[in-house]
Amino acid sequence: MSRRMRSYYYALLGAMGGLIGWQVSDHIGLSFSTNLYLSEALVGALVGLCVGLFIGLTEGALTRNPVQAVKSGAFSGALGSVAGAVGLPLSEFLFQSVGAGIVGRALGWGVFGMLIGLAEGIVGKSQAWKGMLGGLLGGALGGVLLELVHNRLQDPLTGKATGLVLLGASVGAFISLIVVLLSRAWLEVTSGKLKGTEFILDKFMRAGGPSVAIGSSPLKSEIVLPDPDIAPQHAMLNGNGMNFSLQDRSLSGTFINNKKIERVQLTNGLKIRMGNTDLVYHERR
């Protein structure tokens, strides 16, 4: 997926998570306990699980990497359940204790979004603080929209469903939007099955950080390109704090501007070819 379409898909999957969360909580029942905050925590955990799961699945699903999809979805769903268990009672506490109204909802759901953004940053290819910032902004806006819709619509179930869909969409969209706007380096696939897809590399840029493998195997590579002519682990990217070097690890070779390389320092706009797939390296100062 391109960076432009990334936010759309994150919003779409986040909205689906919110809708499923509403259906699950509505089917089971909204009152789990006579204790208001305990009941809110359990409902929030269900909603957070669904929203976190769907947002976590997005990157791996759209880049055809089932291993990343399962890993990200499970982790994001687990942390999302914690986020919901904290965020919903917090918003209710602020609402009940100080009459914070929409502000209280925004703060509570902002914490919810921030924790989901943290999960996405940990298991994704962006830095954790960017995911947290996006999640905080998306959760706060989503909390405001949820409260406004819930109060405006006469049917409380319809209001809750619409509000949770907007909340999930807002959290997903802002997590992706902040990561895209602040991204410093990315790979764009210009030919092959993933044409148009862009892999953000910021998480791996720091000097002494982990290398990132490019290849055809989701078990051996972080960036997976579905091309039979690409080795399971074809090349390695290493960051130095400012940009990346690319090292060939294959028998068939890696080519930069049509020249076979062993290791090269990447600069903005360089064209890379592996197998039958072409990529362009982008960086922004």
Side-chain angles (χ1 to χ4, degrees):
M1 64 185 156
S2 69
R3 293 187 310 142
R4 292 179 181 178
M5 293 299 294
R6 193 175 189 269
S7 297
Y8 166 77
Y9 286 117
Y10 267 81
L12 179 63
L13 270 292
M16 290 175 60
L19 181 61
I20 298 298
W22 165 74
Q23 290 180 325
V24 171
S25 63
D26 183 56
H27 178 73
I28 294 176
L30 300 179
S31 297
F32 294 91
S33 168
T34 55
N35 184 298
L36 174 64
Y37 296 114
L38 177 58
S39 181
E40 294 285 273
L42 293 171
V43 172
L46 280 175
V47 173
L49 172 65
C50 296
V51 173
L53 172 64
F54 275 80
I55 289 177
L57 288 172
T58 308
E59 190 86 24
L62 294 175
T63 56
R64 304 185 190 184
N65 186 339
V67 172
Q68 182 183 354
V70 171
K71 178 182 175 182
S72 300
F75 187 79
S76 186
L79 198 51
S81 65
V82 175
V86 172
L88 188 53
L90 176 61
S91 68
E92 189 63 37
F93 171 77
L94 292 170
F95 180 78
Q96 295 287 341
S97 62
V98 297
I102 288 180
V103 175
R105 303 300 190 194
L107 290 173
W109 286 113
V111 172
F112 166 82
M114 183 175 67
L115 291 177
I116 290 181
L118 171 63
E120 182 63 20
I122 290 174
V123 296
K125 296 181 179 65
S126 63
Q127 293 156 309
W129 71 269
K130 295 177 183 177
M132 292 175 68
L133 176 60
L136 175 64
L137 295 175
L141 175 60
V144 171
L145 293 175
L146 190 156
E147 187 70 11
L148 289 175
V149 170
H150 188 266
N151 291 336
R152 293 288 178 88
L153 295 180
Q154 294 181 349
D155 182 1
L157 289 180
T158 302
K160 183 172 183 287
T162 305
L164 286 176
V165 167
L166 291 173
L167 172 69
S170 180
V171 171
F174 272 84
I175 287 174
S176 174
L177 185 62
I178 293 299
V179 168
V180 168
L181 290 176
L182 300 181
S183 59
R184 295 177 56 195
W186 63 95
L187 282 175
E188 176 190 2
V189 182
T190 56
S191 71
K193 294 182 179 179
L194 292 183
K195 183 178 179 179
T197 299
E198 295 176 321
F199 295 94
I200 295 174
L201 305 173
D202 291 20
K203 185 176 181 178
F204 308 101
M205 182 175 282
R206 66 182 177 87
S211 299
V212 54
I214 305 173
S216 58
S217 171
L219 297 175
K220 295 183 178 181
S221 299
E222 287 77 26
I223 295 177
V224 180
L225 303 172
D227 182 339
D229 293 318
I230 291 179
Q233 193 176 82
H234 197 99
M236 298 293 293
L237 280 169
N238 295 281
N240 62 11
M242 294 295 294
N243 47 31
F244 288 89
S245 61
L246 180 68
Q247 181 181 9
D248 179 52
R249 298 285 294 272
S250 69
L251 296 176
S252 58
T254 298
F255 298 82
I256 300 289
N257 292 345
N258 294 320
K259 295 182 179 180
K260 190 173 182 179
I261 59 98
E262 292 186 3
R263 187 182 186 95
V264 69
Q265 193 78 21
L266 295 178
T267 56
N268 185 49
L270 282 184
K271 297 178 180 179
I272 305 166
R273 180 162 55 86
M274 302 177 188
N276 293 310
T277 301
D278 294 307
L279 308 98
V280 176
Y281 172 76
H282 299 277
E283 64 181 27
R284 180 165 48 199
R285 298 294 182 181

